[in-house]
Amino acid sequence: MNPITEQQNAISIATIQVEVAHLKAAFSDLRATNAELDRKLDQVLSQLAEARGGWRTLMLIGGAAGSLGSAVTWLVSQWRS
């Protein structure tokens, strides 16, 4: 082989090695970001699970209060007539 081709091959190999190093660093950053997003998603899902029970309780209390209010109104209207 001629020396120019060998030099071009060496430059190409060095360029590829630098690109691979940059890709490895970017992949490492991507993994860290993905792990952080997974952690945050777990927190959000945990909060939603806790809120789900709270909303059910509030809806039960609201429904019971509405039913009781309706029953009292009906009784008052029947008692007056």
Side-chain angles (χ1 to χ4, degrees):
M1 290 177 81
N2 82 37
I4 294 175
T5 305
E6 289 180 16
Q7 185 179 10
Q8 288 174 344
N9 288 341
I11 291 172
S12 296
I13 290 171
T15 304
I16 291 170
Q17 287 175 340
V18 168
E19 288 177 4
V20 167
H22 286 293
L23 287 173
K24 283 182 179 179
F27 187 71
S28 176
D29 290 342
L30 186 60
R31 275 191 173 174
T33 302
N34 195 18
E36 180 69 18
L37 287 174
D38 284 344
R39 187 184 64 78
K40 287 181 180 180
L41 181 61
D42 289 340
Q43 287 178 346
V44 168
L45 291 175
S46 174
Q47 288 290 333
L48 285 175
E50 290 175 12
R52 202 174 288 153
W55 280 107
R56 286 182 183 165
T57 304
L58 288 175
M59 293 300 288
L60 179 65
I61 292 170
S67 297
L68 183 63
S70 298
V72 169
T73 304
W74 181 81
L75 283 174
V76 169
S77 70
Q78 293 298 317
W79 181 57
R80 287 188 181 177
S81 56

